[in-house]
Amino acid sequence: MGCCCSSEDEKLSQDGDPDERTRLILPNPVSNSQVNHSDSYGSVPSSIAQQADEQSALSRILMQTANNVIDVSAIETHMVEQHEYIDRATQYSSRLTSICHSASVLNKLHRPALLVDVPALDRVLSAEPISASDLQFIRNTSDHAAAAMRKVVVTHKEDLVVNFGIP
Amino acid sequence: MAQIIEKIPDILGTLVINEDGAVISSTGELQNEEHAAKSVMSMLQASSRGQLTSDGSQQFKRMSVVFDTFMYVVTLSNKRVYVAKRGYNPQEPVLA
């Protein structure tokens, strides 16, 4: 068998119990059968190619792992000095105060100013509903107002484009 | 609030909204009606431009949104907007 003994060893270790010579990554069955069927001259380059394949696979795994790992210790740390810290704190607080002030002004603008704040809440909520005649009057008036608004039209009288200063 | 609700006639549900428009509490038919709260707030904001009198001596205490069988009564108290949904059955005959 000559050089094929290595493949024989492999075969034995694969069939028997795992020992120190057992491969952790098993060669795929296609390449394995190729090794067994090839003669003594063909087996040497194929086993070398297999080894190279394995090496490249291992290095690919290593590369992938390295890509997935973030090395925290390699990142530069920026130490904040005490006075810098105080400066920043004052800057942020002043910025916050100005933002809060403008926000409260905005809120006041958007606040419902129609209603006046009443202390006797229950009396207002329990009061008699608006009378039917008042409601009818409001409906008629708003209908008339809406109808009048619909009748508003723009009457075209003069040219839309007027020339200035041209004799 | 519970005692106040009990006193209101034909009450169907209530909403309490803070001045930022967030619902503080809701009961009855208005339970979890965030959309209704939003509508009420936008109605108040849209109508806030108008003034009852030029000198501002008279102001609105209540906004009523009246439908055929129910109505929403809105009022402001202690910086909170209170919305009550009440049944509505007009006593007088509606004039044509």
Side-chain angles (χ1 to χ4, degrees), chain A:
Chain A
M1 291 289 275
C3 281
C4 278
C5 63
S6 63
S7 65
E8 258 180 21
D9 276 347
E10 265 179 39
K11 220 177 160 185
L12 278 172
S13 62
Q14 272 171 28
D15 292 337
D17 295 326
D19 57 358
E20 76 275 3
R21 288 183 66 89
T22 313
R23 283 170 181 270
L24 290 172
I25 301 169
L26 296 171
N28 59 52
V30 178
S31 65
N32 198 18
S33 64
Q34 274 178 352
V35 170
N36 287 338
H37 286 296
S38 61
D39 56 9
S40 61
Y41 294 107
S43 70
V44 178
S46 73
S47 70
I48 289 170
Q50 208 179 327
Q51 224 171 8
D53 274 2
E54 204 174 307
Q55 277 295 321
S56 68
L58 282 173
S59 60
R60 206 165 50 237
I61 291 166
L62 191 67
M63 282 279 284
Q64 268 179 358
T65 317
N67 281 337
N68 290 335
V69 168
I70 299 168
D71 192 357
V72 182
S73 64
I75 297 168
E76 270 185 60
T77 51
H78 177 67
M79 293 298 288
V80 181
E81 301 274 330
Q82 183 67 22
H83 63 91
E84 203 178 341
Y85 169 77
I86 294 164
D87 281 356
R88 280 191 195 186
T90 40
Q91 196 192 338
Y92 292 159
S93 60
S94 66
R95 194 77 64 83
L96 264 180
T97 337
S98 65
I99 288 167
C100 286
H101 180 69
S102 56
S104 69
V105 168
L106 270 176
N107 270 346
K108 267 179 193 162
L109 282 177
H110 289 292
R111 203 161 291 166
L114 173 78
L115 296 170
V116 63
D117 209 307
V118 288
L121 169 70
D122 52 335
R123 226 182 304 159
V124 177
L125 286 183
S126 319
E128 277 295 301
I130 184 169
S131 72
S133 56
D134 278 355
L135 192 64
Q136 195 62 45
F137 171 69
I138 292 168
R139 279 182 180 155
N140 286 341
T141 315
S142 59
D143 280 351
H144 286 149
M149 282 299 287
R150 272 198 297 276
K151 282 179 186 163
V152 172
V153 286
V154 177
T155 314
H156 175 69
K157 275 184 177 176
E158 295 174 11
D159 289 338
L160 195 62
V161 180
V162 182
N163 292 324
F164 287 105
I166 298 170

